[in-house]
Amino acid sequence: MTTGTPRPPLRSRSWFGDGGKNGFIARHHLRAMGRGGHNFDGLPVIGICNSFSELTPCNGHLRPIAEAVKRGVLQAGGFPLEFPAMSLGEPFLRPTSMLYRNLAAMEIEEQIRANPLDAVVLLTGCDKTTPAALMGAASAGVPAIVFTGGPMLNGRFRGRAVGSGTDIWRMTEELRAGTVTQEEFTEFESSLNRSAGHCMTMGTASTMACLAEALGMMLPGASGLPAVDARRGTLAEETGMRAVELAGSELTPARIMTRAAFENAVRINAAIGGSTNAVVHLLAVAGRLGVPLTLDDFDRLGAELPLLVDLMPSGRFLMEEFAYAGGLPALIDSVRDHLDPGAVTVTGRTLLDNCAGARVHDPAVIRPLTDPVLPAGTGTAVVRGNLAPDGAVIKQSAAEPRLLRHTGPALVFDALEDYLAVAEDPDLDITADTVLIVRNTGPKGYPGMPEVGNLPLPKKLLDAGVRDMVRVSDARMSGTAFGACVLHVAPEAAVGGPLALVRTGDPVRLDVPARTLDVLVGEEELARRRAAWRPPAPVAGRGWTRLYTEHVTQADTGADLDFLVGSTDSTPPRQAF
Ligand code: FES
C-alpha cells in the first residue's frame, strides 16, 4: 500500500461481489475457463492488456511476457485476466499507424472502464502502442503500469553495428546514389533485425519506452533491457506483483502523470536525444489529464539538459549499449539535480528515489554533464513565424548544422506523391539551397500525419554528393530518421494554415537559433493568396477515418480527438440486467 489512507472498495466487487443473479452471471462464465472459488473472494483483478499481434512484429513476443506478468500477479495474490488491445504496427499499417493511435487509445480506455478491473498492466512496444496505452489508461483512471517488450539486439552487418531505421535511411540513399549494390542491400536487410523486440535506435519506440519510465508509469530499468534479456522476464513478474499492490489504490495515472512528471519527461527526452514524435505523444497524454503542457515547454525545458546519451540517430550506439551502461535509472541519477524531486511513480516512491545510486557503467554511452554529446539547447526546437503561427519542430541534433540558419527558394508540392513522382528526375529544377515543401500531410490532410517529413533527397542532389537539405512539412518523421526537417507545421495546410499559401520560388527563411520560420512574402500578397485559397476536397473516408478527420486536433495540441481531451472517469458503467 502506497498511501496511509484506506483504499476504496475494489471496482471488481461491483461485478463479482453480488450474491444474486448479477454476480452469478459475472462469475459463472469465468468458471467455464476453470477460474472459480477463491478468485471471487475479493482478490484484486489485474487486467493484462496485451498488444501482441503478428501484424505488429515488434510486439510479437508479448505472449510469454504476459505469462510472466501473470506469474507475478498470482504470486502477489491477484487474479490476472489477459485481454487483447488493438495493435499498431509501423511496418504494415496504411496510410499510417498514427491514424489509429487515438482509436487504440479509445479502445483501451473503454475496455478498462467497462470491465471488472482493479489495475491494469499495459504490454506495448512498437511506436504508437505505448502512447496509445498511456492515453487510454490516463482517461480510464484505473491504476496502471506500462511494460514495454524491449528493444531488439543490435543489428550486425559486415562487422559493424547497424540500427533500425537510421541505417535503413542511410543505405537506401546510398543505394539510390549507386554507392551500395542491390546485393549488399539485401544482405543488410537480413542482418538488421536479429531478435524479437522493437527498433533498437533511439527512435520513437525506445523514446516512448524511456519516457513512460521517466513519467513514472514503468518500473525502474524496464525501458531499456533488450527484449530477449532474461532479466526482462523477471521485471515482468515484478510488474505483475506491483500491479496487485496498486489495485484499488489512489495511485492512478492522474496522480503519477502530473505536471512535474511531464516536465521531467521533457528534460529526459532532451538528454536521450528522443524522437520528435514524443512531442505530439506527450502533448496528447497530458491533454487527456488536463495537464497544461505546451509546445514551448519542449523548447524551454528541453534546453535545460544537453544530449547525454550517445545513441543513433543523433549519436553512435544502440539500446543494448544504453541498457548495459546503466539505462535510464543511471541517466536519471546523473541528472537528478535538474529533475523535479516530487514526481511520484508506480512504485509509490519518487522517480529520484527509484534511481538513487544507479551507476553509469560506460561513460562513452551515457556521458557526464561535463562532457555531453551535444550542448544544451541543441535538441528539439520549436520554430514559429508566418509559415507556422502555432509552431513547428525540428530536431537540431539530427540536422547538418549549416542548415539550421538557411534561406532558399521554395519548391512546393501539394501531395507527397507529386514529389515522389519527380524525385528521381535528373532535370528537376532544384539545388542544395532549395527549401523542399510538401503539404497536405498533416492530421486532417493526409489523414493521420504520416512519417514522411524526412523526404528522400532528390536523386539529382544525391548524385552531386548532397546528403541533407531543408525540408518543411506538416507531417511527422520517424524517430530513427535524420535531416534538416521542419515538422508538425501548425496549423496544417489542409485547414488553411499559411503553409497552404507558399508558392514555388518564394524565399523561405529558417533560423533555428532565432526560432523562426518565415516565407519572405509581403502581408498583402499573402492576404490575396488567402482570399483565393480553397480547402482541398475532404478526405474520402468512412467509419473511423471520417470520425478522425472530423475531430482530430492540430499537432501543437497532440493530434488527439477533441472530445477525448481533458477528462478521466473510472466509474463502472451501469448494470444493464
Ligand atoms: Fe516497431 Fe520500429 S517498427 S518500433
Side-chain angles (χ1 to χ4, degrees), residues 403-546:
L403 293 170
L404 296 176
R405 190 175 264 146
H406 176 84
T407 302
L411 179 60
V412 182
F413 295 89
D414 282 328
L416 175 66
E417 292 75 11
D418 294 348
Y419 169 63
L420 296 179
V422 300
E424 305 294 316
D425 183 350
D427 298 322
L428 186 64
D429 187 10
I430 196 166
T431 73
D433 287 336
T434 300
V435 175
L436 189 55
I437 294 179
V438 171
R439 60 194 174 199
N440 300 314
T441 52
K444 284 184 195 285
Y446 196 76
M449 203 183 174
E451 292 183 339
V452 298
N454 54 315
L455 298 160
L457 295 187
K459 177 95 164 55
K460 177 179 173 181
L461 297 185
L462 279 175
D463 289 345
V466 175
R467 291 296 182 268
D468 199 4
M469 65 185 300
V470 175
R471 288 155 271 183
V472 178
S473 74
D474 38 19
R476 298 175 301 116
M477 79 173 182
S478 164
T480 62
F482 49 87
C485 305
V486 181
L487 311 159
H488 309 186
V489 168
E492 64 179 306
V495 300
L499 194 64
L501 308 180
V502 189
R503 293 179 181 168
T504 291
D506 288 347
V508 170
R509 182 179 60 207
L510 171 68
D511 189 339
V512 179
R515 299 293 192 264
T516 59
L517 176 68
D518 292 289
V519 56
L520 305 181
V521 172
E523 273 307 309
E524 283 184 14
E525 172 60 17
L526 286 177
R528 264 194 298 277
R529 295 183 191 179
R530 180 174 302 286
W533 180 79
R534 297 289 175 269
V539 173
R542 57 185 298 281
W544 170 251
T545 302
R546 184 164 161 186

Side-chain angles (χ1 to χ4, degrees), residues 58 90-91 126-127 198-199 205:
C58 304
E90 294 299 306
C126 200
D127 290 16
H198 60 68
C199 290

